[in-house]
Each structure stands twice: as structure tokens, then as C-alpha cells.
Amino acid sequence: MSNTDPVSGYPTYNQPSGPDRSVRRQAAGRRTALTVCTIADAAAGLLVLWILLFLLDANQANVFVKFVQGAADWLAWWSQDIFTMDTEGLRVVLNYGLPAVMYLLIGHGIAARINRA
């Protein structure tokens, strides 16, 4: 009697091939794209939240306001002082709004590319 099982006594598991593997790959791609979108949206949301807190004259001594400002400064380090306006509110809107838009465009572009693959 011939047994092709590498180890007798253990059940063999057929590896899925074809459509099932393709479906799993698409699902993994969608999850990855969703993660990228979520990170980009959170980054842009923090930047927009800081713009709103600044424009509404939030208490700068508040712990939450300090946290949001620190996160926004960290996310927008590359765009600090690109625009130097006399109006402080306009300067904050432009210097923090530009990275927010860039994070959204780049993040959603990468996610769309991942979904296409």
C-alpha cells in the first residue's frame, strides 16, 4: 500500500489556490488601504483641530490644547514658516493647512493605488 502523505496519521490540508487566494489578497489590500486612509485622516484632523483651537483663542495653558499643538507641530515640521504673514491667524491657517491637505492627498492617493493592485 502506497501512502503519499509525508507523515502518516496526520490529516493533509490542501492549500487554496486560484480565486480564494486572490480574494484574500484583495481583502488584505483593502485593509491596508483603509489603514493608510485612517492615518492620513487622523494627521489632517489633528492639524485642522489645531487651526480651529488657535483661531478660537483656546487656552494655551490647557493640557489638551498643548497636546494638539505639539502633535500639529510635529506633523507640520516641514512646513513651518513657509508663509510669513503679518496676520497671525492667516499664517497658522496656511502653515498648518498646507500639510493637512498634503497628508490627505498623498494618503488617499497611496490608498487608491493599493486598492488597484
Side-chain angles (χ1 to χ4, degrees):
M1 194 161 148
S2 164
N3 187 359
T4 59
D5 197 8
V7 178
S8 61
Y10 289 98
T12 59
Y13 297 101
N14 294 332
Q15 293 294 325
S17 62
D20 188 38
R21 190 172 282 194
S22 162
V23 169
R24 285 190 296 163
R25 189 175 295 131
Q26 282 180 338
R30 274 189 246 114
R31 283 191 304 269
T32 304
L34 180 62
T35 302
V36 169
C37 280
T38 302
I39 291 170
D41 292 346
L46 275 169
L47 291 165
V48 169
L49 182 59
W50 168 241
I51 292 170
L52 288 174
L53 289 172
F54 183 84
L55 292 176
L56 296 173
D57 292 326
N59 180 6
Q60 300 289 326
N62 184 285
V63 175
F64 177 72
V65 175
K66 284 183 183 179
F67 168 76
V68 173
Q69 181 183 11
D73 286 340
W74 185 79
L75 289 168
W77 63 269
W78 57 270
S79 71
Q80 292 298 312
D81 298 327
I82 287 180
F83 303 101
T84 54
M85 309 288 184
D86 292 333
T87 308
E88 189 72 14
L90 182 59
R91 185 189 64 77
V92 169
V93 168
L94 292 175
N95 284 326
Y96 289 93
L98 174 67
V101 170
M102 294 302 294
Y103 285 133
L104 285 175
L105 289 175
I106 292 170
H108 286 264
I110 291 171
R113 180 80 173 142
I114 291 171
N115 266 335
R116 253 186 271 141

